[in-house]
Every structure is written in structure tokens, then in C-alpha cells.
């Protein structure tokens, strides 16, 4: 798999996680980098994945794969 850049403006780092918003459930889901780029999701580097926050009142779900080093480690 080729690397993809972080979606944050002017961030030069490679993405390691994918962020998706589920508006109907007021939920932000952060998981391992998806296999392909999705138009309604955001690829984030380790730094931006760790600092990610959601709007007030929203639930944040962080899905981490055991044995991988990356965000949240």
C-alpha cells in the first residue's frame, strides 16, 4: 500500500489513521488507516490522530489494532 499524506493543511507527515464522522449518532470514529482513500473521511498522521477531538457532546470511538505501533501508543 502506498503512503497517503495527513489531511491536515500543511502537514507533511504520512497518515496512520482514518477519521470518520457519523453525524446521525454524534460520533467520531478513529481507526487504523483505511485500505483506500474515502471521500468523506480524513486520513491523519500519528500526531493529529492523538490530538483529535470531537464537538462537545459527541462520542469519540478509537479503534486500535493490537500489536501495531502508531497513534495512541
Amino acid at each position: 500500500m502506498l503512503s497517503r499524506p495527513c489531511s491536515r493543511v500543511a502537514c507533511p507527515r504520512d497518515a496512520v489513521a482514518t477519521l470518520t464522522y457519523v453525524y446521525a449518532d454524534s460520533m467520531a470514529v478513529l481507526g487504523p488507516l483505511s485500505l483506500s482513500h474515502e471521500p468523506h473521511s480524513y486520513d491523519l498522521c500519528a500526531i493529529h490522530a492523538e490530538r483529535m477531538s470531537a464537538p462537545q457532546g459527541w462520542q469519540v470511538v478509537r479503534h486500535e489494532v493490537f500489536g501495531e505501533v502508531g497513534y495512541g501508543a
Side-chain angles (χ1 to χ4, degrees):
M1 174 171 54
L2 297 175
S3 63
R4 294 197 304 265
C6 181
S7 295
R8 298 295 301 255
V9 175
C11 181
R13 292 179 286 278
D14 289 336
V16 297
T18 298
L19 171 65
T20 305
Y21 292 107
V22 183
Y23 293 96
D25 297 327
S26 299
M27 183 182 305
V29 181
L30 185 67
L33 186 63
S34 63
L35 295 177
S36 61
H37 175 71
E38 300 293 331
H40 300 291
S41 62
Y42 303 90
D43 296 333
L44 301 175
C45 67
I47 292 170
H48 287 118
E50 183 67 30
R51 294 179 183 172
M52 191 279 307
S53 63
Q56 185 173 356
W58 281 46
Q59 179 180 6
V60 176
V61 176
R62 292 179 183 266
H63 174 76
E64 296 183 36
V65 177
F66 292 111
E68 287 191 5
V69 176
Y71 71 94

